[in-house]
Each structure stands twice: as structure tokens, then as C-alpha cells.
Amino acid sequence: MRHHTIEVTESLTGETVKLKGWVQKRRDLGGLIFIDLRDRKGVIQVVFNPEVSREALETAEKIRSEYVIEVSGEVLKRDPSQFNDNIETGKIEVLVNEVTVLSKAETPPFQILDDTIGEDVRLKYRYMDLRREKLQNTLRLRHQINRSVRNFLDNEEFVDIETPVLSKSTPEGARDYLVPSRVHEGEFYALPQSPQIYKQLLMLSGMEKYYQIVKCFRDEDLRADRQPEFTQIDIEMSFMDQEQIMELNERLIQHVMKNVKGVDVELPLPRMTYNQAMGEYGVDKPDTRFDLKLRDLSEFSKTVDFKVFRSTVENGGMVKAIVVKGEAENFSRKDIDKLEAYVKTYGAKGLAWLKVKEDALNGPIAKFFNEDNQKELFDTLNLADNDLILFVADKAKVVHASLGNLRNKLAKDLDLITEDQFNFLWVTDWPLFEYDEDAGRYFAAHHPFTSPKAEDVELLETEPEKVKANAYDIVLNGYELGGGSIRIHDAEMQEKMFKALGFTDEERDEQFGFLIEAFKYGAPPHGGIAYGLDRLVMLLAGTDNIRDVIAFPKTASAGDLMMNAPSEVAPEQLKELHIELDVEE
Amino acid sequence: MRHHTIEVTESLTGETVKLKGWVQKRRDLGGLIFIDLRDRKGVIQVVFNPEVSREALETAEKIRSEYVIEVSGEVLKRDPSQFNDNIETGKIEVLVNEVTVLSKAETPPFQILDDTIGEDVRLKYRYMDLRREKLQNTLRLRHQINRSVRNFLDNEEFVDIETPVLSKSTPEGARDYLVPSRVHEGEFYALPQSPQIYKQLLMLSGMEKYYQIVKCFRDEDLRADRQPEFTQIDIEMSFMDQEQIMELNERLIQHVMKNVKGVDVELPLPRMTYNQAMGEYGVDKPDTRFDLKLRDLSEFSKTVDFKVFRSTVENGGMVKAIVVKGEAENFSRKDIDKLEAYVKTYGAKGLAWLKVKEDALNGPIAKFFNEDNQKELFDTLNLADNDLILFVADKAKVVHASLGNLRNKLAKDLDLITEDQFNFLWVTDWPLFEYDEDAGRYFAAHHPFTSPKAEDVELLETEPEKVKANAYDIVLNGYELGGGSIRIHDAEMQEKMFKALGFTDEERDEQFGFLIEAFKYGAPPHGGIAYGLDRLVMLLAGTDNIRDVIAFPKTASAGDLMMNAPSEVAPEQLKELHIELDVEE
């Protein structure tokens, strides 16, 4: 006989049910025993009464937290005075006439419902932590998002195609995880950082519409929202231009949000160029749920008698400000010192500030502004009483990093963010290259397969920093959700690209020769996008811990505390793989 | 403007369409140019006529095989005399008024439609090979199977949960692929051979119903139908017994077969114990699409005056035979010699045979059978004129391997197999252990987490070879499609199991201590199954080459001929990973 799951509703009142699950809590009261029984659907109160079954009660006396039990009994309506609004089954209970212990439990390493337990302990006993409703719901949400994405893409005739995990190491991009080969002595596979090349080859194969929800790997030092293995929603299509690809992705987003969160996303999504994003928000992934935009005061600064501002602009830098409306009185000198310390972590030399009080500017730098300056500032920034103005003067890069991050911090501190608001937007017209000062060369901002805008191709050899890419990122609430581009599909253009990246012909042929050759046998125009699934789930689940959305996550040092991985292996295993350890004793 | 795909039907006759695709073939005829244009949907003839557009015709003159082009033009009905029944669009054609070359093509390394090209060349240019309709269809079928499996399991409330790829190496099972850790000096991850332990931990987490379509890895020497990375449909559930799990899986099979192949599978599926399968078919995965069952003549052999037979049985061996009905005349002495050579590869010392001719037995061993023996043989085997009987006398293992494989070979040779017939069946009651002569110890036949049958538990320490497992395999047309079991969910039982496998307490704790501990905090009864997806696709696609169902497969030496992987890596990469090569110069 199948058992019921704990969604047993009042409609089953009077009937006999069989339930299986974990003991959440036991209470003994007035000769009765009450157990909160938990399964994947919820929690229900089951009652042991000696008048119904003395045998069941005697068994129940030995039952403790996290025992797995099976009970049969009648569903009864509770007396209204006994309703428990904390659980969905709070108006009913089950009067047990039979109980079986399926599995005993020792005292668990921590109480499932205890929120004070450190994450290391939770990770070691992940299977206990996963019993929490919150984590169970997050994993279910993840599945729902997956399903929703698949349904949409299946309907659009995309084909889910698996690409290899044992792949080839290439020096562009992040650090690879390597896998020594047993058969090919001294050679290694690499775990893919993305299926980029494979999906492009699938376009060359004429598949036209590809997707995959796929594990990718990066051996980088981990940040809070990074994991060594992560999952990508990977999409590629032929014969569609940037507008068509963006339109399809907007409908995908709309579909998923409606399906998973019941949220209506209005289309088309807002768009912003990279330059606009950096200029107004200081970051390439603006959170548009709140205002606090960066205001450019560089021109203004040339007219003021404040050397710090004026000379910064005269030397090619800029001055920008954030106006915090009506909050001046809430920021003490000490508060502002803290904000200054914060922007200094982004390279700013200081944080200038002014407060508006009774139609006048106050603060240490107010004295540098004459009456005309003050009037202009009031007009330009539309100032009003009790406004706080925060300035950074520096190179563009520093100003944007400082104020862009300060903007996000202020929004959190001031509680400007509405929960459950989802602001999607596109950032377009990215630079094709980034210059790396340390390496002394250009790197691909996106990846080496992104195409330059047609009108900028001639700048590739002369002024690469000015070349814009046919690239588009989708941003949600200040996070990069996905990034895509129209790819190069022409052998000559791809060769030019590698040249601009400083590859010698030999390096290029050695590493990417097969791809360039592939372009020579009929390559369709194509493009695509990749979304970070873990991050998407994180944002839709409303958590800021990436480990909450992964069943068995790694720690910040890429370790698995539960299984104790990585671990030492037997010398014979290494011998077979033709490697030996290079470890200091 | 969106383009049309080449499913353009007669209903569009008279309308203007835009098509994009590859040039399959060009023919010049009477001042016109005909091009067969191919996209993911099919092939259509497009016609260039100077009276419609001289410019288009001039462009077409330069177009060659595998060019990617875009054409616009009117859909015309062909004259019935020009109908082409080889393509679905054979009754229409497109009269081109505009053409754009999207991408040129050099002479391809081989003609896409040429079936004589060796597989190595095809694998090197996999993106060309994948342009073939057959491979495209196989990848689409694979996607359809995936979808169908997901739909079924989603409806049954299973949750798709991803488990780690960077996992821990354990000595049980096949050889692991290892991944050196950069952060943890001298330590290694292993790529999972299956998510077995993770899915069991998910049951301990209370997820109750899990599935995943997931890559697994085995560093073994490859056989024709093996790949170093393969995909598993992995399923696990709590609180369900073997019958319930089998019933659910039967409905899954039924759903997929109906959905993907339009085939009605009758339920329940046939079942057979392991002993019955070995006894009657000689193999643990019987192909029941044809008869040719093994007939046990051991008792009979005791009564005959043929020493080879009699002494084999007296020494604990057996004599079995296959009767090939009505085919005696078609097997020459030479044919039978070949069959004998074949069974010798399975260890048989010889292949005895008899032919029935005019109600008498013929053949070199006929003289050993007296009249009573002959009569008994006729009755037992229900012999008729022109039957061929093939005998092997040996230890059970050799008899079964020889005749089991001979049976499959004969079915192929004699063309006894009906195409598109799908015979599913369960094989149950497996032995829990296999004895390995070389290692001198028992190994788990399935894996160390499979539970013994309750009634056999007491034999674990005394006669492990007699212990049966709660294990079930699903077989399709002679292939193992999936294998599952009810798992151990009790710490003590799991410890007994490792003891029976020869683990010391230290080895056990070191490798599986966390799992045994996990069983102590409330473990639900659980079980599951794993299907080989690649093999399932292979069987439903009707191919016997596993590489046909994988977009980018590896060769028999686990190499990727297209990307040239594995490959050498930079010394700095190895240094960061704390390893060095151990290669003979």
C-alpha cells in the first residue's frame, strides 16, 4: 500500500492514512504523546493515545528526534482552540493506531531547526542541514527554474546537446582544472570553463539551435558567490542577429519569471550601453531598483576654487557625486568617515561631502564654493534641505569603482531596496578588449570569439581599446545574470582577433587551429548567451549565499567537508597516470 | 525579418520566402542553376533563372558545396514530371530573386553524403560529419528521450538535483579519473563513476524523490560500446519497496517508448531471476526477441556412453545444447568449425554437434548415443528433420558464456531478429557478491551499498556466495539498460557488508565513515536505479556505434581527434598543481 504524503488536508478528515517521515519534535502531555512528523511535503501533528493503542504509545515513548517512522491512523479535525497556524496542516491531526520505527537516530550533531549553528558544521553534516525546509525549497526552486527554461527552449525548437567534460586545456581565460591521462603519457585533459567552442562547432554542424544546462569549472580563488564547479544555461543559435537573440532571451526571462515566481516582466527590457552604465552607475551591472545615480560634476569643477577638484579634472580625471536626498541629518561625521574608509578600499583618496541646511551648503569643503558655484550646484543637482552630497575626484576608473560600490552600499544601509522586485536590463556595446597592466597586453573582455562591431574593425590593429563588441549582458538587481555575443564566424577575422591578443601564428594554430580551419568549410553567422544558473537561483530564492542553492557545495578553499575531498590517493594511482607529487615535505 | 526553415510546404506556394542554409549540391543545366539547399529541417531545390535575376545567377555561379547562403524567392509547384520523391519538399522549388553568400567554403575534407569515409577522418572533422541527417536525427532523438524521461519524472514529483563532479576517490569500483588540487597540496579530487553516495545522502536529507541526467566517468580500457565519460539517468527514492520501484520504472519505460517511438509496451514487463537467465540464455541480459534457448542435458548425459559428456557432469560440470530448428543443411562442416572457434574464445574446449536427417542423428558423436539415448533426445528436445544441435560440456561458467554468446551470434547470422522490436525484461535475484580469483576476495556484484535479501543475511559471514541481493536489472534486446537495488540504510548492516568485502575497520572508516555515520541520524529505507542513457539512445536509434549518439565522442584510446585532447600542458600549470611528470624520456 502506498503511503500518503503530509499534505493531508481537511478533506481527508475521518479517513485512515499512512504516513512516513522524520520526527521533528516529541511532546508528552497528560498521558498522551504528540509528535510533529515531517516529510518532503510538510509537518503534521500525530497523536498517541493509550485508549486508541497502548502498544503504539509504548513504542512512541522510545521515539526521539530524527527517528524515521511510519504511522497509520485517523485524520481528525482539531478543536479550534488547538489550531496551529505555523503549519499548513494546523487544523488537523492524526490519531495513531499503529506505528513502526523504520530507522532509529542517535542524538543529531545539531538540531535541524537551530539557526545558530556555524556553516562548517552544517557542511560537514550536509545531509542533516538539507533537511531544513529552506534548503529543500531552494533545491526545488532550482529544479522549477530548470524545467521552465527547458520548456521554453524546447518549444522554440532548441536541442539539448551534451558536450564533453574531458576537454582540452587552453591558456586564455581562467585557470583550468586538469585531468592526467593514463593512456596518453604526460598529457592532460582540462575540465571546460564553458562549452563555448563546442557550441560554436555545433553551429558549424548545422544544429542551428542548441542549449545545455551544464557544469563548468574554474580553478580560481573563490569569492563569496563563486564555486569551483558551477552550472551554466548555455544557448547558441545560427542565423539570428543581436536583436533577435535579445528578443528571444527576453521572452525566456519573461516565461521563467511568470512560471516560477508569478511575476509579470514587461518587455522589451530596458537597455543601457556599457558607457552609460559606467557613467551613471559606476558599475557594468547597475542595480536600478533605486536611484542614487552618479552625477558628473567635472565641468562644474573647472569653475571652482577647490584645487583637489580642479586639478583632477585638468589632469584628465573626473569629479562625480551621489546625492542622498533628505538624509543629511542621519549621517554623523563618524558615519561619513566610515563611508570614506569604504571608498578608499576602491582606491579613492578621500570622500568629500556637503550637507544642505537651510538653503546653504555645509561641510569642510563648502568654503571653496562661491555664491555662483553654490547656485549652480543647487540647480544642477536639484538640491533641497537635508540633502547629503558625496564626491569623489580621481581617474574615471577609481571614481566609478568607488561611487558605484558606495551607491550599492548606501541603498542597503538606507533600506532603499524593495524585496521581490526584479529589475532586469541589458548592457550593450561593451569594449572588445581590456588592457591588463601587469601582463602588458590586451585580453578579450568577453572571450576571443566575440565579434567586433563592423564599424570598428579597422581599429583592431591601431586602437584596440576603442573597438566595441557585439556583446550584451543581462543584469538582474545589480548582478550579471548572463553574457552573450555575436561570434566571429570568419577565419580571417578570427586570426585578426588572435593577433590583437598577442598570439603568435604558432600559438594560435597550436591552440585554435582546428577552429579556424572549421570556419573555412561553411560557417553560419551565429551568437548566443550563457546564464549563471546558480546565481539566477540565488536571486530568485532571495538568498545571498551561493551554497544555499547547491546540494553539495564546496568551501571557500574548494573542499568538501562532508566527504573530505580532495584527499590523498594511492601511489599506484599516480604511477598509472604518469605523474608524481611535487610537494615540500 | 525572420527566415523560414526548410519545411516550406505546398501551402506556401506562390508566396515569397527567405531561406538560410548550406549548399548541398549545385547543378547547372540549360542556363539555369539548381541548388539543393539544406538546413536543420530538410533540403529544398532553389532555382536561379537569369530571367528572374541575372545578378542572383551570377552570384550562384560562384557558389560551391557547403557555402552558407541566404535566398529569397517565390515558392513554385514543380511540374509533376520533376517531382523528387527523395526529399520531402520534392513537389516544390524556390525561384530565387535574391541571394547573399553568408560564408564561403573551401573544398571540404570529404563529401558530407559520402558513406565510405573512415571514422578517424570523420571524428577529426566532427563538425562536418554532424551535418549528416543521420547524426542530426540521433542527437534530436537523444534530446527527445531526455525530455520524455524528465516529463515523466517531473510529473511523479521527482526533483532534479545536481551532484558534484569534483568528488572523492574511492578504491571500490573502476579506475578513477583524478584531478589534482591546487589549494590542497598533494591531494586529488576524483570524477564520479556515479552519484551513488550523493543520491543516498539526498535520501537521508529527506528529498525522497531524486533524479538527475548526469555525466559519469570511468578510466577503463574502452570497448566498442564504452566511452570514458557517459551519461546516466540516475533515480533514487525513499519509502518505496522493490515492487513499487519496479512498477514506477515500468511506467517510465512505457511512457518513453510511446512518446519517442510510438511503441506500446505492455505492462507488467516480463521478469526472470538471474539463475533462470543464466540457465536458459547463458547470459545475465537475455535477448528474448528470438528463441534458441539453452537446453540442459546434464542428467541425460549421465546415461550416455560418451565420456566427454559423462565425466564433465560427474565432475560437477554440465552439458547444454542449442537446437537450431530446420537449419542443419545450411551449416557445412566448415561453418560449424567457425562456430567452434567462436565458442573457444569463451573458454570452451570444443563444440559437439548433431544433425537430424530422416529421423536419425548424424555427426561424429552420433555413434555414442544408443537407441534409447536417441529416443530420449528426440523427445526432450522435440527434434525434427533438419535440426542442428550444438553442445558444450564444461564448467557452468564456460558453458553459459560459450552458448550464451553463440546464441546471440546465431540469431544475427540467421537473421532471426525483427527490426524495431523492443523486448524489455527484468532480471532479479542477483548474487550480492562476485568472487575474484585474481584478487582472492569477494567484490560487490552491484556495489557495496546494495542490500542483501533479508533471509540471506545470516549467510553474509559464512557463505557469501549464496547471498542474494535486492537488485534488479532492466534488459532491452540483450543489453543491460539499467541496474538498481534496494540500498542498505542501516549502519550495522553497512559495516557487515564492508567486512564481507575484506575491508579493515580503518579502511572502512577512512573511506566510508561519513556514510556510516550518516545512517545513524535517521535513514529512510530507499532504493533506486541508473540507466545508461547513451545505450538507450543507441538502441532506440537502431545504431550499434555508441559514438553515433554522442556529439563529440572520444576514440577507443580516449582521445579527441578534433581538438587534439588530451594534450601537453605548460610546466607552470603542473607546478601550481604540485605534480610533475613521471614519464620515460
Side-chain angles (χ1 to χ4, degrees), chain B residues 359-370:
Chain B
D359 292 336
L361 295 175
N362 282 280
I365 66 165
K367 59 177 179 277
F368 299 113
F369 297 89
N370 64 29

Side-chain angles (χ1 to χ4, degrees), chain A residues 106 131 136 142 162-163 165-166 184 189 204-205 215 229 231 520-521 554 557-558 567 578 582, chain B residues 106 131 136 142 162-163 165-166 184 188-189 204-205 215 229 231 520-521 554 557-558 578 582:
Chain A
E106 295 181 5
R131 291 182 190 173
Q136 295 235 341
R142 185 177 179 120
E162 293 175 64
T163 54
V165 174
L166 294 170
H184 303 267
Y189 304 96
L204 271 54
S205 304
K215 278 276 176 74
E229 55 182 287
T231 305
K520 293 181 181 167
Y521 303 121
K554 300 281 194 295
S557 69
S567 60
H578 320 290
D582 173 24
Chain B
E106 296 180 6
R131 291 182 190 172
Q136 296 235 339
R142 186 178 179 120
E162 293 174 64
T163 54
V165 174
L166 294 170
H184 303 267
F188 294 79
Y189 304 96
L204 270 54
S205 304
K215 279 277 176 75
E229 55 183 287
T231 305
K520 293 180 180 166
Y521 303 121
K554 300 281 195 295
S557 68
H578 320 289
D582 172 23

Side-chain angles (χ1 to χ4, degrees), chain A residues 403-472:
Chain A
L403 289 181
N405 285 289
L406 179 62
R407 178 179 173 273
N408 287 335
K409 178 182 164 52
L410 285 169
K412 258 184 224 160
D413 292 353
L414 297 170
D415 208 10
L416 300 182
I417 297 169
T418 317
E419 292 264 318
D420 274 331
Q421 189 182 334
F422 297 96
N423 279 26
F424 292 91
L425 67 99
W426 290 107
V427 176
T428 62
D429 298 275
W430 288 72
L432 187 63
F433 298 101
E434 275 169 4
Y435 190 75
D436 184 312
E437 310 267 349
D438 295 335
R441 75 160 173 102
Y442 287 99
F443 281 86
H446 198 67
H447 52 54
F449 315 108
T450 296
S451 64
K453 286 198 178 283
E455 61 268 28
D456 293 347
V457 167
E458 56 190 21
L459 301 173
L460 267 178
E461 289 178 41
T462 52
E463 296 174 284
E465 69 281 3
K466 288 196 180 159
V467 179
K468 296 265 181 254
N470 293 313
Y472 35 86

